[in-house]
Amino acid sequence: MIRFDRHMRSLAITLAFLAGYVDALGFLTTSGFFVSFMSGNSTRLAVGIAGARSDAMAAGILILCFVAGVCAGAIVGAAAGRRQSAAILLLVAAMLAAAALLIRHPPLWTAGLLALAMGAENTIFEREGQAPLGLTYMTGSLVRIGLGLAGVVTGRRHPGWGGYALLWLGLVAGAVTGASLFPLLRQDAMWLGSGAALLLAFLTELAYRAQQNA
């Protein structure tokens, strides 16, 4: 986070909110699987192999969809060049819209599209094959928060941990919002996620043009 300017940090926190929102929708749609947190699905895959093959298959499909989303996002970003962020956000918006259209089909279809979208979202800040910031999973951010708090006690400085705290709070706030709206809106809750990604793509493109004209 310390390498990002204010605009990029704000975008990252907003994307974490979107990830939390979508993950809550996926969790509720599938009754307990994740569409952005693949460590959890990997554990469910392993436990399922030991005793519940249908759970293992569902977790495995979501993991494959997530990885496919990362591949798709990276390819679209490479093709878009300097408009990488806006192009990937358009892809995310399209995947979330497709998930909304398939809400009445088997839950795994919808969850697979959500996992594709979340995989793609993680490539928005990709540079030279590296994704410097996890937007849909927070284990690394929580480690940095813990190190930052330890630094307060020991006097060893760990800059930037406050930004990771905001990133985590963004994801949690998004998940609370998604969990609150899904029982009320169902399909429309996913349309809201798609619309949010579309709006972010538009704002990112405006910011890019402003930089070019500066």
Side-chain angles (χ1 to χ4, degrees):
M1 290 287 277
I2 60 176
R3 289 181 289 173
F4 290 178
D5 59 26
R6 181 180 298 178
H7 167 73
M8 296 295 278
R9 286 196 295 270
S10 297
L11 177 60
I13 293 167
T14 305
L15 289 169
F17 180 96
L18 178 62
Y21 179 87
V22 172
D23 204 35
L25 300 185
F27 187 86
L28 293 171
T29 298
T30 60
S31 300
F33 288 92
F34 303 97
V35 297
S36 71
F37 178 56
M38 293 303 120
S39 295
N41 282 341
S42 296
T43 300
R44 293 211 64 169
L45 171 67
V47 173
I49 290 172
R53 298 297 172 85
S54 61
D55 285 357
M57 181 176 295
I61 288 171
L62 291 175
I63 292 168
L64 289 174
C65 287
F66 184 87
V67 174
V70 173
C71 292
I75 291 169
V76 168
R82 294 185 178 181
R83 286 184 164 87
Q84 170 183 341
S85 296
I88 295 171
L89 281 165
L90 287 175
L91 176 64
V92 170
M95 290 173 173
L96 293 178
L101 290 172
L102 291 178
I103 190 68
R104 302 186 190 281
H105 289 75
L108 196 57
W109 292 26
T110 300
L113 283 165
L114 295 179
L116 279 167
M118 292 299 93
E121 182 179 310
N122 279 287
T123 66
I124 287 174
F125 297 124
E126 182 267 334
R127 295 292 184 275
E128 298 180 356
Q130 300 293 321
L133 193 63
L135 297 171
T136 70
Y137 48 91
M138 291 294 139
T139 303
S141 293
L142 290 170
V143 169
R144 288 177 173 88
I145 292 168
L147 290 173
L149 292 172
V152 172
V153 176
T154 63
R156 297 175 61 187
R157 189 167 177 267
H158 295 281
W161 68 271
Y164 288 102
L166 290 175
L167 198 68
W168 177 79
L169 286 172
L171 184 134
V172 171
V176 170
T177 303
S180 300
L181 291 180
F182 184 69
L184 301 173
L185 301 179
R186 302 292 294 182
Q187 179 181 13
D188 290 339
M190 293 183 187
W191 282 118
L192 284 177
S194 177
L198 191 62
L199 177 61
L200 284 173
F202 175 72
L203 294 175
T204 301
E205 178 64 17
L206 284 182
Y208 170 77
R209 293 186 181 185
Q211 288 180 345
Q212 294 299 107
N213 294 330

